[in-house]
């Protein structure tokens, strides 16, 4: 079946099958959070992005092979409600942006800086530090050697705009600057965007609206 990226809480996961990587998306919790399970097709090693909620659901998706690591995109509580339970069950290494680690109540084994590489099996993900939604939010970029890039943006980029900066002009200016330079400026229109909530999008679908986002200030 064709991957759509449209999932609902309580509904089935959706699987995006790439040549080297399988991406499984599921929605969990009262805030409709997305969690993403990445599986290297060569080694079967797995990585989870955002143990947001519903530990039993996430562990069921992970299955008997477990996970080597879990990345928390940022410190907001709706993105780590199941983290302690998932780590206890799997023994996974934990990753988070260095500036957000202190706000996550599970120890961060590997603090992440801009440009750092996080591996799942033979697959490499590049971290991009995006400031404004939180001090230490990170996005993860997979530059697929067989196709277009894929980027997991947490709450920093959605269909229709950047993440919530709570009407703080300085925070908005910083976030849209980082998103424009590190995401839109570095990646092509074909890049697939996997956000922390809701449906997927592409940079090409969002790029024409950047002037509108600047004008409205959110």
């Amino acid at each position: 079946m064709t991957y759509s990226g449209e999932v609902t809480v309580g509904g089935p996961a959706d699987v995006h099958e790439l040549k080297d990587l399988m991406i499984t998306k599921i929605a969990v919790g009262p805030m409709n959070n997305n969690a993403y399970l990445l599986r290297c097709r060569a080694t079967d090693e797995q990585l989870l992005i955002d143990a947001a909620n519903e530990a039993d659901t996430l562990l069921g998706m992970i299955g008997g092979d477990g996970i080597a690591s879990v990345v928390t995109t940022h410190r907001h509580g709706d993105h780590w409600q199941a983290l302690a339970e998932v780590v206890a069950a799997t023994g996974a290494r934990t990753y988070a942006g260095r500036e957000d680690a202190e706000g996550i109540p599970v120890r961060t084994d590997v603090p992440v800086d801009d440009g750092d590489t996080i591996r799942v099996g033979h697959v490499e993900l590049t971290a991009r530090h995006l400031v404004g939604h939180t001090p230490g939010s990170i996005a993860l970029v997979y530059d697929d050697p067989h196709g277009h890039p894929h980027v997991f943006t947490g709450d920093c980029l959605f269909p229709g705009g950047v993440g919530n900066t709570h009407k703080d002009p300085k925070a908005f200016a910083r976030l849209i600057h980082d998103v424009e330079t590190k995401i839109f400026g570095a990646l092509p229109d074909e890049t697939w965007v996997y956000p922390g909530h809701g449906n997927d999008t592409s940079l090409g679908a969002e790029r024409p609206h950047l002037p509108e986002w600047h004008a409205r200030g959110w």
Side-chain angles (χ1 to χ4, degrees):
M1 293 181 65
T2 302
Y3 174 79
S4 70
E6 298 179 8
V7 294
T8 57
V9 175
D14 199 5
V15 181
H16 203 169
E17 297 196 27
L18 310 178
K19 186 170 183 179
D20 295 338
L21 185 68
M22 290 182 62
I23 301 166
T24 302
K25 177 181 181 178
I26 199 165
V28 292
M31 297 186 70
N32 191 33
N33 284 76
N34 296 325
Y36 299 95
L37 181 67
L38 279 54
R39 186 182 186 100
C40 172
R41 301 186 77 146
T43 66
D44 288 332
E45 184 171 294
Q46 297 190 121
L47 174 151
L48 181 67
I49 299 175
D50 283 343
N53 212 308
E54 299 180 32
D56 289 345
T57 299
L58 297 181
L59 291 169
M61 176 176 68
I62 289 165
D65 289 342
I67 52 173
S69 48
V70 55
V71 178
T72 302
T73 57
H74 62 289
R75 64 169 60 184
H76 287 161
D78 58 309
H79 289 260
W80 48 253
Q81 291 298 308
L83 182 59
E85 193 169 342
V86 167
V87 169
T90 63
R93 292 186 305 274
T94 55
Y95 294 77
R98 185 177 300 276
E99 290 78 4
D100 270 12
E102 66 179 7
I104 300 168
V106 176
R107 181 180 180 273
T108 296
D109 296 320
V110 185
V112 178
D113 296 310
D114 188 60
D116 283 356
T117 297
I118 300 173
R119 291 179 173 83
V120 50
H122 294 168
V123 171
E124 292 187 351
L125 308 169
T126 301
R128 290 299 174 207
H129 180 204
L130 306 173
V131 181
H133 183 66
T134 66
S137 289
I138 54 172
L140 298 177
V141 179
Y142 170 50
D143 192 0
D144 187 352
H146 309 288
H148 54 73
H150 300 255
V151 57
F152 302 86
T153 56
D155 283 3
C156 288
L157 177 63
F158 296 99
V162 296
N164 191 350
T165 51
H166 307 285
K167 299 182 179 179
D168 180 339
K170 290 183 179 179
F172 171 76
R174 182 65 189 271
L175 180 57
I176 200 161
H177 171 270
D178 282 1
V179 167
E180 282 190 301
T181 57
K182 297 180 182 181
I183 304 298
F184 284 98
L187 300 170
D189 283 352
E190 295 78 14
T191 303
W192 197 291
V193 177
Y194 305 82
H197 305 262
N199 293 339
D200 298 357
T201 186
S202 70
L203 292 188
E206 305 304 322
R207 195 184 302 272
H209 304 288
L210 283 167
E212 302 168 28
W213 304 353
H214 274 280
R216 75 190 186 194
W218 57 273

